[in-house]
Amino acid sequence: MPGTTLTQPTTRTVTGLADGRQLIYYDRGAAAPRNAVDERPLDPQTPGSQVRLDPATGDWVTIAAHRQARTYQPPAEECPLCPSRDGRLSEIPAEDYQVAVFENRFPSLAGPPAAPALEADGLWTAGPGAGRCEVVCFTADHDASFADLTPERARLVLDAWTDRTAELSALPGIEQVYCFENRGAEIGVTLAHPHGQIYAFPFTTPRTARIAARAARHRAATGRNLFEDLLAAERAHGERVVLTGEHWTAFVPFAARWPYEVHLYPNRRVPDLTALDESQRAEFPYLYLELLRRFDRLFGAGRTPYISAWHQAPTGQRDELALHLELFTIRRAADKLKYLAGVESGMDAFVNDVTPEDAARRLREAAS
Ligand SMILES: [Zn+2]
């Protein structure tokens, strides 16, 4: 299939894998034609997961028992995210690539929502695990990490996230698109190759639902937007601000849950990635790469495990919510990890061992 231009000069080439899953290459500048064919004998997967509503909390839970068989920490020479080279066939048929996105072979959510999507039996509401799960490969370099990328490559990843958000949001039944990266075995990453994931949910995630309720309450009480007030307050106070650009601000939140946690907001509020303007897009890579590099410097040598989570407004709630990125690590000292134990896992009540003000100061001092 011929490539189509997305936003100059990113080229997007849509192709497919042997079992029918979609694969999309994103390229900037000169790139070889992305026409390699997947030669692996793959059987189509039949995921059959389910979403269930917890009658007590109102939270959606995805039940995806088929994922137990997924690839777990393979040796580097069997990495499914490296390009296909030297007779070794991976998930990406090309010999090289810049950024590649494909449908997860072991998705938690897959397929269009059935009609009627949900069935209620008394207190029990459930439906098919409809939606889509994608894998985003940031680079063909197995040993790199996002922090090693050039600003140009980070921009290409941003373009890919934006394109996926636009396309997945438009699918029937999709309520929220979530782009994220887990980095480090400590986080539970099953593949070392630098990559992130995208979940297109058929529901609004529990955290976003709680945040939306707070924003609605703030609007009712003050007539103003919660996130605009929040960002203005942090910028005016300054003690927890880590990094500012012309178009973005990074700060440690007042009630941070994680030892080192940074929220990165565009100064002009937008609901999701598709609404960023060119000046915001152009500046993002520099601030984000700097934050990631500071995370890596926090504990001396070695890479800091982290979760990087894009918060985007659900498709039907674009008025009050604000696009932002939440970056946090479970590492609280060079040799100590924060585990979610009884208080956090049992009660959703976090105990943080580092004050947000100290965390912000250390992250400012870690500047390159
Ligand atoms: Zn690899």
Side-chain angles (χ1 to χ4, degrees):
M1 193 178 291
T4 53
T5 302
L6 168 73
T7 45
Q8 288 291 352
T10 295
T11 304
R12 166 188 129 121
T13 310
V14 181
T15 174
L17 296 171
D19 54 8
R21 284 175 295 139
Q22 202 173 50
L23 164 69
I24 305 167
Y25 296 101
Y26 295 87
D27 291 292
R28 297 200 121 196
R34 302 303 186 192
N35 53 10
V37 172
D38 183 8
E39 290 167 356
R40 299 169 300 168
L42 289 184
D43 293 327
Q45 298 279 316
T46 45
S49 65
Q50 206 182 34
V51 294
R52 297 185 181 185
L53 186 68
D54 182 329
T57 64
D59 290 349
W60 285 101
V61 177
T62 303
I63 311 291
H66 63 282
R67 277 167 52 83
Q68 294 283 30
R70 70 190 189 271
T71 314
Y72 183 76
Q73 298 188 340
E77 63 273 16
E78 291 170 25
C79 175
L81 309 186
C82 277
S84 293
R85 283 180 192 149
D86 308 321
R88 203 185 53 80
L89 303 176
S90 74
E91 290 280 60
I92 298 164
E95 286 187 349
D96 196 11
Y97 63 85
Q98 294 180 14
V99 171
V101 177
F102 59 86
E103 287 179 79
N104 198 319
R105 191 164 177 217
F106 302 99
S108 301
L109 302 161
L118 297 177
E119 287 184 17
D121 175 10
L123 287 173
W124 299 327
T125 302
R132 186 140 145 161
C133 293
E134 299 185 336
V135 176
V136 183
C137 299
F138 303 141
T139 166
D141 180 355
H142 183 86
D143 297 314
S145 75
F146 200 112
D148 300 325
L149 302 182
T150 62
E152 293 72 27
R153 177 59 58 86
R155 168 63 194 261
L156 183 60
V157 175
L158 176 65
D159 287 347
W161 284 328
T162 305
D163 177 61
R164 301 319 300 146
T165 298
E167 195 159 296
L168 297 174
S169 297
L171 293 179
I174 295 304
E175 279 193 24
Q176 191 179 3
V177 177
Y178 174 41
C179 307
F180 65 101
E181 181 192 0
N182 297 325
R183 208 277 292 271
E186 298 90 337
I187 298 284
V189 175
T190 54
L191 299 171
H193 195 108
H195 73 287
Q197 300 183 61
I198 300 174
Y199 272 40
F201 289 103
F203 53 79
T204 297
T205 58
R207 186 162 161 81
T208 301
R210 281 199 297 278
I211 290 171
R214 296 285 302 178
R217 210 172 310 162
H218 189 80
R219 173 70 72 182
T222 67
R224 293 192 304 272
N225 178 267
L226 172 62
F227 302 96
E228 290 171 0
D229 281 2
L230 192 60
L231 184 58
E234 289 292 352
R235 284 174 63 92
H237 179 69
E239 193 182 4
R240 287 178 297 273
V241 172
V242 172
L243 193 60
T244 54
E246 197 183 336
H247 302 287
W248 296 80
T249 301
F251 61 89
V252 178
F254 175 69
R257 297 176 302 159
W258 302 93
Y260 293 90
E261 173 175 347
V262 172
H263 294 187
L264 178 62
Y265 279 78
N267 294 341
R268 180 183 63 81
R269 179 170 66 92
V270 297
D272 61 26
L273 290 165
T274 68
L276 289 174
D277 64 26
E278 177 53 33
S279 55
Q280 292 170 318
R281 288 177 192 286
E283 190 182 70
F284 170 78
Y286 296 91
L287 274 80
Y288 186 47
L289 289 169
E290 174 64 17
L291 286 176
L292 293 179
R293 290 165 189 168
R294 291 188 192 188
F295 263 55
D296 278 349
R297 280 188 217 111
L298 278 177
F299 305 107
R303 291 168 173 175
T304 299
Y306 64 74
I307 291 171
S308 177
W310 275 113
H311 284 243
Q312 305 205 77
T315 52
Q317 301 180 62
R318 292 170 60 85
D319 292 345
E320 291 288 343
L321 292 179
L323 169 78
H324 67 280
L325 186 138
E326 298 190 3
L327 171 69
F328 54 91
T329 181
I330 59 169
R331 182 157 300 229
R332 58 192 172 91
D335 57 347
K336 293 191 184 75
L337 295 180
K338 164 84 182 167
Y339 289 104
L340 297 192
V343 178
E344 292 86 1
S345 295
M347 285 292 135
D348 278 352
F350 275 68
V351 178
N352 187 351
D353 304 300
V354 180
T355 70
E357 292 72 26
D358 278 348
R361 183 182 46 77
R362 285 208 57 205
L363 284 162
R364 282 194 301 270
E365 289 169 0
S368 43

